[in-house]
Amino acid sequence: MNSQSEDDPAIDVRGLNKHFGDKHVVNDLSLRANRGEILGFLGPNGSGKTTSIRMMCGLLTPDSGSGICLGYDIRRESEQIKRRVGYMTQRFSFWEDLTIRENLDFVARMYKMASRREAVDQVLEGLNLTARSTQLAGSLSGGWKQRLALAACMLHKPELLLLDEPTAGVDPKARREFWEELYALAARGISILVSTHYMDEAERCHKLAYIAYGKLMARGTAQEIIDSQGLTTWAVTGRDLPAIAAKLRGEPGVEQIAAFGSALHVTSRDATALDAALRHAMIGTSWHIEPAQTGLEDVFIHLMNTSSDNYGAR
Amino acid sequence: MDHFSFSRWWAIVLKEFLQLKRDRVTFAMIVGLPIIQLLLFGYAINSDPKHLPTAVVISEQSEFTRSYLAAMKMSGYFEFVAELPNEQAARAALAQGKVQFVVNFPTDFTRKLLRGERPALLIEVDATDPMAASAAIASVRELTASVAKKDFKGVLASLGSGAPPFDVRVHKLYNPEGLTQHNIVPGLMGVILTMTMVMMTGLAITRERERGTMENLLSMPGKPIEVITGKIVPYVFIGLIQITIILLAARYLFEVPFVGSVAVLYVVALFFIAANLMVGITLSSIAKNQLQAVQLTIFYFMPSILISGFMFPFQGMPQWAQAIGSMIPATYFMRAVRGILLKGNSWVELWPSIWPMLMFMVVVMTFAVITYRKTLD
Ligand SMILES: Nc1ncnc2c1ncn2[C@@H]1O[C@H](COP(=O)(O)OP(=O)(O)O)[C@@H](O)[C@H]1O
Ligand SMILES: [Mg+2]
């Protein structure tokens, strides 16, 4: 199955649209995810990530557009899709008044798992929760809820995982463990779509898709996305960064200024104009400038700014 | 595609049971509500009021009239507050609510009695609140028989054997339909079950939606019919517990006769419970939020109290009210319960009350399954 991943994608949706009232929440979204691949789904809050994911697993009906998920039509065959997909909701959505084991038992029964008891025991062991299996899910801390939710949505051994901001509010150590788990799953041929706000996580994905205001702005590997925008970035260091930023802002050719630790990243599509602007602004100052690698974050900030310009102009 | 899955259905049933078990407030309500309602409705309406103000209209005293009035007083139900000169005065006293009963011995009552002409003794009742009067009326019938036995000795012995040698005519004023006491408890059974069953399940789906767990439930495989029927199963048991509480109260607190079969009653109740649960879950499914669900519940509950024959005698209602009442399962259930408890009805006589309940249930269930939203749209 994995070998033919190119012509048998895990997700292949085309021209999806969704409106809520007169709000165009997902705008002509086309997206493809290969089998065994981790696809990072990025975009600012309210850009339509959750809505898109819900349409892919049949929880929302698109206003228009079509799509295939694991070979099944997202409009007509959502029953088949549901059986093969593990969906982890953005908000914890297991039953807080059921214990950990009862939640897992419920899920296993809903998927008609043959060896329910063993599967549940195994998950509890894997989570190190065997001793606390009779604790109410509502009494778990945020991080543990995430882990329970992930374990529960993988209980039925899905072929595709749709994870909606699974690591929001999870500590770094738990996040790292979580990603190790995702790699292990992907290596076993499981396809994963994961939405996130974390840049380090974005960099870990095989492929990325960036969406803003419901529109897909860029997609590909991290490097492809960076290259596609053709940005030039300089790192500016000096004594008073806010003052430098204030001075540079509005200079012709300076499109974007973002603080990165002890440096300012100044970015533009027009390398010559940026070069000229910096040289001009530097006169009589003790700033130090050097060319910098344009990073994913620079690109995303750039994409967000340009898309909001587009949005405002509409 | 696959069919109804018992495994999935059972998953829902178990989940609902567990959630119900942990929901202390709801659980307390399930047992508490019928008891509170029984006490409020049952006792407020069914209390066995004694010492009701009574007037006497009497033209001549005799040994018989004295002993009859003494027996009435002995029963504890009647308190003689006035002796009125004539029928007109009696009507006025009743109209003003000064007295609730008037005992009227017509002229020549004793003479006719001795002649064996079976004179009639008239008892007029203010039956505005029929419940208040019914026990007293019942006692009149009893004491008439016993007075006849005891008093007609000696000269009158010949009159004392067999039927009483006089008639007692009870004339109910203002509410001639007058429900009897025993109508209330069976009616209450319908009211309590309607209220609790519809209320409990009325929130079943909106709650999932508002807590966000609906998204999870919908992302799993599951058919509307599995979710809908699975969710109501625990409440069927709750309904049966409530029926038992009410029946015990009916028997031992309110002394309702149990002429018919209790087993039949449980079966009929099961249909009624299922019908109401279906209503609840349907309302829950179409409501946008919990508040709306509660409002819809009340909207359904009102006619079940007002025009089902619980509040007012069904036959006495205007045509339009009867027509609406005929579409509510509570109407049929109350009829059936009265039929079973008071008249000892069998399946044949109960069927006209049973099939509308079943039909109602099927229609509502179909509607619920069709309108159940399988997406978050
Ligand atoms: N059920 C809904 N009804 C109305 N508006 C919605 C609904 N769900 C989402 N939205 C709106 O659609 C936009 C996109 O939401 P969402 O898909 O949750 O974005 P993201 O997951 O990227 O943060 C937001 O503006 C949100 O308010
Ligand atoms: Mg979201």
Side-chain angles (χ1 to χ4, degrees):
Chain A
M1 189 183 286
N2 203 11
S3 57
Q4 47 173 340
S5 65
E6 282 302 314
D7 41 275
D8 178 26
I11 301 171
D12 189 6
V13 296
R14 282 155 211 262
L16 289 188
N17 280 289
K18 185 73 186 174
H19 297 255
F20 287 120
D22 52 4
K23 232 163 130 188
H24 202 164
V25 171
V26 174
N27 191 342
D28 222 16
L29 180 85
S30 297
L31 202 65
R32 207 182 141 95
N34 293 325
R35 300 243 184 189
E37 214 169 64
I38 303 178
L39 173 67
F41 200 23
L42 292 108
N45 285 326
S47 55
K49 300 184 296 293
T50 301
T51 308
S52 303
I53 295 175
R54 284 174 175 167
M55 286 194 283
M56 290 173 204
C57 62
L59 279 177
L60 282 176
T61 322
D63 295 339
S64 65
S66 63
I68 297 245
C69 203
L70 298 172
Y72 295 99
D73 188 290
I74 59 166
R75 283 174 180 277
R76 290 179 291 107
E77 296 171 304
S78 63
E79 286 299 312
Q80 305 289 341
I81 295 174
K82 283 176 186 173
R83 254 180 264 160
R84 292 166 176 82
V85 165
Y87 171 41
M88 179 172 167
T89 55
Q90 180 171 357
R91 201 177 118 194
F92 183 71
S93 63
F94 283 86
W95 289 267
E96 305 211 337
D97 49 354
L98 295 185
T99 67
I100 295 167
R101 179 184 283 281
E102 285 160 1
N103 268 299
L104 293 171
D105 265 334
F106 176 70
V107 174
R109 282 200 173 93
M110 289 301 280
Y111 287 101
K112 304 212 264 186
M113 292 185 61
S115 47
R116 178 174 53 83
R117 216 172 280 275
E118 295 80 68
V120 169
D121 283 341
Q122 217 175 330
V123 165
L124 286 171
E125 234 162 81
L127 282 174
N128 241 333
L129 276 176
T130 309
R132 293 158 76 187
S133 64
T134 55
Q135 199 176 325
L136 292 186
S139 69
L140 289 172
S141 68
W144 279 104
K145 278 184 184 166
Q146 304 286 90
R147 298 186 62 177
L148 170 63
L150 180 71
C153 80
M154 292 192 324
L155 191 62
H156 63 291
K157 312 238 180 314
E159 293 165 43
L160 169 67
L161 283 174
L162 300 172
L163 310 173
D164 198 356
E165 295 190 32
T167 54
V170 174
D171 67 63
K173 182 168 169 284
R175 264 174 60 199
R176 205 169 61 209
E177 286 167 8
F178 180 82
W179 273 86
E180 268 155 28
E181 172 93 40
L182 289 195
Y183 277 124
L185 289 167
R188 295 210 311 255
I190 291 170
S191 320
I192 300 168
L193 181 140
V194 53
S195 77
T196 179
H197 284 298
Y198 296 106
M199 280 310 127
D200 59 320
E201 293 187 355
E203 276 155 5
R204 283 173 156 149
C205 297
H206 298 126
K207 294 270 178 62
L208 295 172
Y210 186 90
I211 171 177
Y213 298 97
K215 272 191 176 154
L216 187 70
M217 305 296 294
R219 65 178 172 185
T221 63
Q223 198 55 50
E224 279 166 7
I225 289 185
I226 292 169
D227 293 346
S228 71
Q229 298 301 310
L231 297 178
T232 305
T233 302
W234 290 83
V236 182
T237 45
R239 259 192 298 111
D240 190 358
L241 289 182
I244 299 175
K247 190 160 179 208
L248 285 173
R249 190 158 289 132
E251 287 283 327
V254 175
E255 284 184 18
Q256 168 184 317
I257 303 166
F260 277 78
S262 61
L264 283 182
H265 275 197
V266 186
T267 307
S268 174
R269 271 172 297 196
D270 188 339
T272 11
L274 181 62
D275 199 50
L278 282 174
R279 277 180 207 296
H280 172 74
M282 265 186 73
I283 296 164
T285 68
S286 58
W287 301 355
H288 174 74
I289 66 166
E290 59 184 12
Q293 282 279 334
T294 303
L296 259 186
E297 190 155 3
D298 298 309
V299 174
F300 288 150
I301 294 169
H302 172 76
L303 285 171
M304 191 157 48
N305 289 341
T306 45
S307 65
S308 67
D309 291 351
N310 292 347
Y311 198 73
R314 276 197 304 188
Chain B
M1 287 288 286
D2 71 347
H3 300 289
F4 183 90
S5 154
F6 183 77
S7 159
R8 288 196 300 250
W9 179 78
W10 184 238
I12 307 250
V13 171
L14 281 181
K15 164 181 161 295
E16 294 299 318
F17 259 120
L18 290 167
Q19 289 185 293
L20 185 63
K21 192 179 85 183
R22 302 222 167 89
D23 188 354
R24 295 260 160 79
V25 179
T26 302
F27 212 81
M29 233 167 65
I30 284 159
V31 182
L33 214 65
I35 292 176
I36 291 170
Q37 280 189 327
L38 272 171
L39 294 181
L40 286 180
F41 277 92
Y43 270 120
I45 300 171
N46 273 329
S47 61
D48 192 2
K50 302 222 163 170
H51 310 293
L52 301 168
T54 307
V56 185
V57 178
I58 189 163
S59 42
E60 83 260 349
Q61 305 262 354
S62 73
E63 199 191 348
F64 170 76
T65 58
R66 268 192 299 275
S67 100
Y68 192 84
L69 292 176
M72 282 181 78
K73 200 169 158 69
M74 277 286 289
S75 75
Y77 286 107
F78 307 93
E79 177 90 23
F80 292 103
V81 293
E83 195 171 317
L84 301 172
N86 54 33
E87 178 61 20
Q88 252 170 319
R91 284 294 169 107
L94 281 167
Q96 289 160 15
K98 281 184 184 154
V99 296
Q100 197 165 4
F101 290 90
V102 174
V103 186
N104 194 336
F105 292 94
T107 353
D108 293 332
F109 179 86
T110 313
R111 193 135 38 92
K112 283 182 179 161
L113 180 73
L114 291 174
R115 284 206 212 118
E117 288 175 21
R118 289 189 65 84
L121 165 65
L122 180 67
I123 296 184
E124 288 164 290
V125 189
D126 171 0
T128 311
D129 182 355
M131 292 307 121
S134 62
I137 294 169
S139 81
V140 165
R141 305 200 191 285
E142 269 174 41
L143 69 88
T144 300
S146 71
V147 166
K149 270 216 187 76
K150 196 167 75 207
D151 274 9
F152 296 88
K153 291 180 222 143
V155 239
L156 302 172
S158 60
L159 297 167
S161 57
F166 58 95
D167 282 326
V168 176
R169 270 192 220 130
V170 176
H171 192 165
K172 290 183 193 165
L173 300 167
Y174 308 125
N175 182 2
E177 275 253 15
L179 298 165
T180 72
Q181 171 177 18
H182 300 148
N183 263 341
I184 279 295
V185 173
L188 259 183
M189 210 177 278
V191 168
I192 291 173
L193 281 176
T194 304
M195 187 159 169
T196 50
M197 293 296 100
V198 177
M199 238 171 42
M200 301 293 158
T201 45
L203 299 176
I205 289 177
T206 42
R207 199 189 293 127
E208 300 254 12
R209 240 182 245 137
E210 275 176 28
R211 288 182 187 170
T213 50
M214 197 65 189
E215 181 172 12
N216 203 339
L217 188 61
L218 288 175
S219 76
M220 298 179 205
K223 301 209 162 301
I225 191 152
E226 291 159 5
V227 176
I228 286 172
T229 58
K231 268 180 170 293
I232 66 172
V233 167
Y235 298 98
V236 171
F237 288 91
I238 298 300
L240 292 176
I241 293 174
Q242 290 188 329
I243 281 281
T244 308
I245 293 174
I246 302 167
L247 281 180
L248 287 173
R251 185 88 193 83
Y252 297 105
L253 237 44
F254 303 108
E255 292 171 356
V256 174
F258 278 41
V259 182
S261 150
V262 175
V264 171
L265 191 135
Y266 268 95
V267 176
V268 173
L270 208 58
F271 298 147
F272 181 63
I273 288 168
N276 276 305
L277 291 175
M278 273 303 156
V279 172
I281 203 110
T282 308
L283 296 181
S284 180
S285 163
I286 58 178
K288 292 224 155 44
N289 49 49
Q290 298 208 23
L291 177 66
Q292 216 177 60
V294 170
Q295 289 167 334
L296 287 172
T297 312
I298 293 169
F299 184 75
Y300 175 76
F301 183 52
M302 291 323 280
S304 295
I305 283 195
L306 293 175
I307 54 176
S308 60
F310 172 71
M311 276 303 212
F312 316 106
F314 195 81
Q315 304 303 339
M317 296 192 308
Q319 283 301 314
W320 62 267
Q322 288 194 27
I324 300 173
S326 303
M327 295 192 288
I328 305 169
T331 306
Y332 299 99
F333 178 65
M334 289 178 195
R335 230 176 256 167
V337 174
R338 285 172 186 149
I340 296 167
L341 288 184
L342 309 179
K343 302 180 195 158
N345 280 358
S346 65
W347 291 115
V348 182
E349 293 134 315
L350 290 172
W351 182 241
S353 302
I354 291 175
W355 72 257
M357 281 196 272
L358 291 177
M359 200 169 86
F360 179 90
M361 183 174 79
V362 170
V363 169
V364 174
M365 185 159 107
T366 311
F367 182 77
V369 169
I370 290 172
T371 54
Y372 180 82
R373 279 174 275 169
K374 278 177 275 189
T375 65
L376 296 166
D377 287 287

